[in-house]
Amino acid sequence: MKSKTRHFQFPFFYGYVLMVIGTIGIWASVPGQTIGVSTFTDPVKDALGLTRDQFSAAYMVGTFLSSLMLGWAGRWFDRRGARVVAVSAAGLLGVTLLLSSVSNELSKGLMTITGFHHWSMPFSIMIVLFFMLRFSGQGVLTMASRNMIMKWFDRYRGRVNAFVSISISLGFSSSPLVFDALIKEWDWSGAWRILAISVLVIGVLMWIFYRDNPEEMGLVPDGKSGSRKTKDKPLPKLKQFLPKEAFATRAFWMYALMMSFNSFFITGLSFHMVDLFTSAGLDREEAVAVFLPISIINVGISFFFNFLSDMMPLKKLLFIMLGGASVWVIGLIGLSGGWGLWLIIVGAGVSGGLFAVLNSVSWPKLFGRKHLGAISGRAMSMLVFASALAPFFFSLSKTYLKSYTSMGWLGLAFVIFMFIGSLKADDPQPKVVE
């Protein structure tokens, strides 16, 4: 059980402190996110002597293995709380980045010791490092920080998530430019060391400020102002779904699959962004900068619909996300023909903006807060599994079909399937719960 925490008195609701610090905690996960790894893809694979297919396969296997652990991590979150789980993940991520910075030296050292000089040695090392990066960064640190913020708010959850989503979008979308600048100045190994130190410092901040839920500090969700408004217009009492009950609903699978779809394609796009966009006629700097206009659309969509998520059915947001996804997979089909770039930018911006909304507010709103870790952990494992497949599938498409167009057709077929399946993905909450 979680240990008791001393009740501190603040002149404002402590949840807003956690909104800011939790957002910084999610920023700290960027080196373990695909958009953070992608900038290192070309220099690291060249330093290790791996082909694009081999490097992508190592990423796929390591990410797949990490997805198998996220269900357990979600249950760990429910038992131990955000503070212990997030700080542990930040520590693991920092150590992993330090090891990644010497991955080429580890590979050479092991080949010298074993006398086995083969590409499978750096390949195996990168599988282990990718497992640690993805589990700690994209998986546990992101999940624990986001869930903690959402547990501190109820009536204001959507508007708080608007701030969080915008901040995350801006931070994530600017990270390729920042990381690329670090690589140019300090080489890829020095850049990873700088990021490792930054993550560990943020881990200290998380240990100081993170708290699992408002009840732990003698408070209530939304603070006193939220409680007063609740007296005037009571919020419906949510059923607290057991994990097995949540997993038996169509809503869980449709929302989780749609977010996994977004994770798959944004991962493939991010991981191969330089090669993908240079093949469409852009240079490296322009390819890296493509995420900026995507993020501008992403921010606007996220801000607008986060506020609406407090008032409108989530199912409508799900279908808007489907619309955005359909636009950008069509853009991927037309990218090699020269007409798909702006469709990708607009569609990915809309879809990504809705992803930022639904990935945060869906699980507590649909299934309650009590088992949030286990339920969101299962969804996160699906997201990470999808992201594991993406780089390798995109790489195979380029290697054997000479373009990424086939991934667009695959995406279009999945969007049609999701549209049909989501027609009956209704809110599982009973209309009235005594």
Side-chain angles (χ1 to χ4, degrees), residues 33-48:
Q33 304 279 355
T34 301
I35 199 167
V37 175
S38 61
T39 318
F40 291 85
T41 296
D42 290 316
V44 175
K45 75 176 180 61
D46 292 342
L48 292 171

Side-chain angles (χ1 to χ4, degrees), residues 18-333:
L18 293 177
M19 177 184 71
V20 175
I21 300 298
T23 301
I24 294 173
I26 299 174
W27 281 347
S29 74
V30 173
Q33 304 279 355
T34 301
I35 199 167
V37 175
S38 61
T39 318
F40 291 85
T41 296
D42 290 316
V44 175
K45 75 176 180 61
D46 292 342
L48 292 171
L50 295 173
T51 66
R52 182 172 297 276
D53 285 351
Q54 290 165 351
F55 195 76
S56 299
Y59 186 86
M60 177 184 70
V61 175
T63 305
F64 168 72
L65 292 174
S66 75
S67 73
L68 300 179
M69 298 288 291
L70 288 176
W72 167 82
R75 294 189 294 273
W76 184 36
F77 174 88
D78 287 334
R79 291 195 304 268
R80 299 304 303 273
R83 191 184 187 200
V84 171
V85 174
V87 171
S88 299
L92 178 59
L93 179 58
V95 171
T96 304
L97 289 168
L98 290 174
L99 292 173
S100 299
S101 70
V102 294
S103 54
N104 59 331
E105 297 173 17
L106 289 174
S107 176
K108 292 176 183 177
L110 286 176
M111 285 192 285
T112 299
I113 293 172
T114 61
F116 184 66
H117 296 268
H118 192 263
W119 64 264
S120 60
M121 189 65 74
F123 178 79
S124 300
I125 289 173
M126 290 312 302
I127 287 177
V128 175
L129 292 175
F130 279 142
F131 163 74
M132 295 167 66
L133 276 175
R134 304 291 279 161
F135 176 71
S136 60
Q138 184 192 27
V140 182
L141 183 53
T142 305
M143 178 192 66
S145 299
R146 180 180 282 117
N147 282 348
M148 178 193 66
I149 297 170
M150 294 300 102
K151 288 175 76 172
W152 277 78
F153 297 92
D154 194 346
R155 183 180 293 275
Y156 301 154
R157 187 176 288 139
R159 65 197 71 179
V160 165
N161 194 49
F163 167 83
V164 175
S165 299
I166 289 171
S167 302
I168 292 172
S169 178
L170 291 174
F172 278 36
S173 61
S174 61
S175 63
L177 294 173
V178 174
F179 291 1
D180 194 50
L182 288 175
I183 291 171
K184 289 178 179 177
E185 181 67 24
W186 302 99
D187 197 27
W188 62 269
S189 57
W192 259 337
R193 292 188 190 105
I194 292 171
L195 292 174
I197 294 171
S198 301
V199 169
L200 293 174
V201 170
I202 292 173
V204 174
L205 291 177
M206 290 191 293
W207 179 256
I208 295 171
F209 291 105
Y210 269 30
R211 297 295 183 272
D212 188 51
N213 56 62
E215 292 83 1
E216 184 178 305
M217 297 183 68
L219 302 171
V220 295
D222 301 315
K224 292 181 180 179
S225 60
S227 299
R228 286 196 297 269
K229 290 189 177 184
T230 301
K231 292 178 182 177
D232 299 329
K233 187 179 180 181
L235 287 171
K237 183 179 179 182
L238 293 180
K239 175 182 176 181
Q240 304 297 311
F241 280 72
L242 294 171
K244 65 179 180 180
E245 293 176 320
F247 303 151
T249 65
R250 179 181 291 218
F252 173 83
W253 292 104
M254 291 298 102
Y255 283 84
L257 282 172
M258 189 61 219
M259 287 184 273
S260 298
F261 169 86
N262 189 84
S263 179
F264 178 92
F265 276 91
I266 201 66
T267 297
L269 184 70
S270 302
F271 197 87
H272 297 290
M273 62 179 177
V274 173
D275 184 61
L276 193 150
F277 289 117
T278 53
S279 67
L282 304 180
D283 59 30
R284 177 183 172 85
E285 287 71 22
E286 291 172 327
V288 171
V290 161
F291 281 93
L292 286 178
I294 291 176
S295 70
I296 293 172
I297 299 171
N298 192 312
V299 165
I301 293 293
S302 175
F303 183 81
F304 180 69
F305 284 106
N306 263 304
F307 276 91
L308 289 184
S309 70
D310 287 332
M311 300 172 282
M312 68 183 295
L314 295 181
K315 187 176 177 180
K316 292 184 179 180
L317 303 184
L318 179 64
F319 277 95
I320 297 171
M321 184 176 179
L322 274 164
S326 65
V327 170
W328 88 272
V329 295
I330 291 172
L332 188 57
I333 293 172

